[in-house]
Amino acid sequence: AEKVLGYDLLSLCLKGPQDELDRTRHCQPAVRLMCGLGSVSVQVVASCVAAAGYSVGEFAALVFAGAMGFAEALYAVKVRAEAMQKASEAVPSGMLSVIGRREANYKFACLEARKHCESLGIENPVCEISNYLFPDSRVIAGHLQALEFLQENARKYYFTRTKMLPVSGAFHTRLMEPAVEPLAEVLKSIEIEKPLVCVYSNVDGKKYMHSKHIRKLLVKQVVSPVMWEQTMHAVYERQQGTEFPYTYEVGPGKQLGAVLKNCNLKAWKQYNHVDALEDEEAAKT
């Protein structure tokens, strides 16, 4: 990884500084790809029936499934992260996690937030759903002024909780369009195979079918919402009475497990979390 990235990723993960690790250009290769794949190695994977990765984690899922080589995927993530970091710095933007009541109309709220931005003189403002997490939970991304408007008017839109995410840009919106071409170019040069196990796309929640399909949707994913709730329904769809498979969330944090619990409680009962660093510490003790 150090040879591909050009810096000491292990030292950055273990020693920081935290503000550098939080930067998009470092966080995507470190947390989303390396830690995810590092955790996979401790599990028996021969019986795996499906894989999915959240946002840039999709690259880890594709490496795991044999569709991409590790070094090539890491280089693609490096290019993606640097281009998204640059796009983020061009416009003051961010992401807002929202939990709403059943009456909440997220798209209408975004429309009114865009109109507010226009009243401030912002041309072509962006405010849209960027992540579908579970019923009544969304992430909205766009111009900071739009997100501040939504927080100030949360009660009007039946939002019960809003929280700004610690990210530097409006990922998975059209504000990331400058990152599309650099990623598309690098993916053209990478050998991609049909996955050995089913991998589900963030863009539409469906299985990847072939290499061209993977190239097309990985690029589209940069400016499209992450359809994680829809993906969870697709992954766990089965006939009534059929047992749910064991599910492993790999890498730091248990956020996707919490999302699964809210999407499908029965499937969550077979859920486990695996963290490479936790496993390493357990081995030492």
Side-chain angles (χ1 to χ4, degrees):
E2 186 176 340
K3 288 179 181 178
V4 173
L5 297 173
Y7 57 86
D8 188 345
L9 183 62
L10 181 60
S11 176
L12 183 61
C13 286
L14 297 178
K15 301 176 183 177
Q18 184 67 43
D19 60 341
E20 279 298 304
L21 188 56
D22 286 342
R23 287 171 63 84
T24 299
R25 65 188 301 267
H26 294 143
C27 181
Q28 289 191 16
V31 179
R32 304 303 176 190
L33 185 65
M34 292 297 298
C35 292
L37 288 171
S39 304
V40 165
S41 63
V42 303
Q43 290 298 330
V44 177
V45 296
S47 60
C48 183
V49 294
Y54 187 89
S55 189
V56 73
E58 204 159 63
F59 284 86
L62 288 164
V63 172
F64 163 76
M68 285 182 174
F70 166 71
E72 290 82 0
L74 183 60
Y75 181 68
V77 169
K78 175 181 184 289
V79 171
R80 179 187 189 272
E82 290 174 349
M84 290 174 74
Q85 178 76 45
K86 189 174 181 181
S88 299
E89 292 168 356
V91 178
S93 56
M95 303 179 81
L96 182 71
S97 175
V98 176
I99 293 179
R101 287 161 53 184
R102 295 205 171 171
E103 305 96 313
N105 186 328
Y106 302 95
K107 291 185 178 180
F108 176 69
C110 290
L111 174 63
E112 293 214 322
R114 289 196 296 272
K115 287 182 178 178
H116 169 72
C117 287
E118 288 172 350
S119 73
L120 299 176
I122 299 172
E123 294 184 8
N124 299 317
V126 172
C127 183
E128 56 198 54
I129 298 171
S130 63
N131 295 223
Y132 291 81
L133 298 177
F134 55 85
D136 304 320
S137 178
R138 305 282 187 271
V139 175
I140 296 173
H143 282 80
L144 284 180
Q145 295 91 332
L147 304 183
E148 289 165 358
F149 172 84
L150 292 178
Q151 284 188 294
E152 291 167 4
N153 295 276
R155 291 183 66 182
K156 175 184 177 181
Y157 301 115
Y158 301 103
F159 295 165
T160 57
R161 193 178 79 188
T162 61
K163 182 182 178 182
M164 287 296 296
L165 298 180
V167 296
S168 57
F171 305 142
H172 303 289
T173 71
R174 58 184 174 85
L175 287 177
M176 291 295 111
E177 282 179 358
V180 165
E181 190 174 339
L183 179 59
E185 284 301 311
V186 75
L187 288 175
K188 286 179 186 176
S189 65
I190 291 175
E191 187 175 346
I192 300 177
E193 305 285 346
K194 182 178 179 179
L196 299 174
V197 299
C198 295
V199 178
Y200 289 77
S201 167
N202 286 183
V203 172
D204 57 13
K206 297 178 181 178
K207 300 173 187 175
Y208 279 118
M209 304 306 294
H210 47 73
S211 59
K212 286 185 179 178
H213 194 207
I214 293 170
R215 284 190 179 91
K216 178 182 177 181
L217 293 190
L218 282 180
V219 172
K220 190 175 180 181
Q221 189 227 60
V222 172
V223 291
S224 301
V226 174
M227 312 291 277
W228 193 255
E229 180 184 346
Q230 295 84 341
T231 300
M232 291 296 93
H233 292 316
V235 168
Y236 295 104
E237 184 180 10
R238 59 215 338 100
Q239 291 183 342
Q240 192 169 0
T242 305
E243 287 189 10
F244 286 98
Y246 288 103
T247 296
Y248 294 95
E249 178 177 1
V250 294
K254 301 179 182 179
Q255 295 93 332
L256 297 183
V259 170
L260 176 59
K261 187 176 182 179
N262 284 280
C263 284
N264 191 324
L265 183 59
K266 289 183 178 179
W268 174 79
K269 289 178 179 177
Q270 301 278 58
Y271 162 88
N272 294 275
H273 173 251
V274 184
D275 188 317
L277 292 178
E278 284 179 5
D279 189 72
E280 187 176 303
E281 288 302 315
K284 288 178 183 178
T285 56

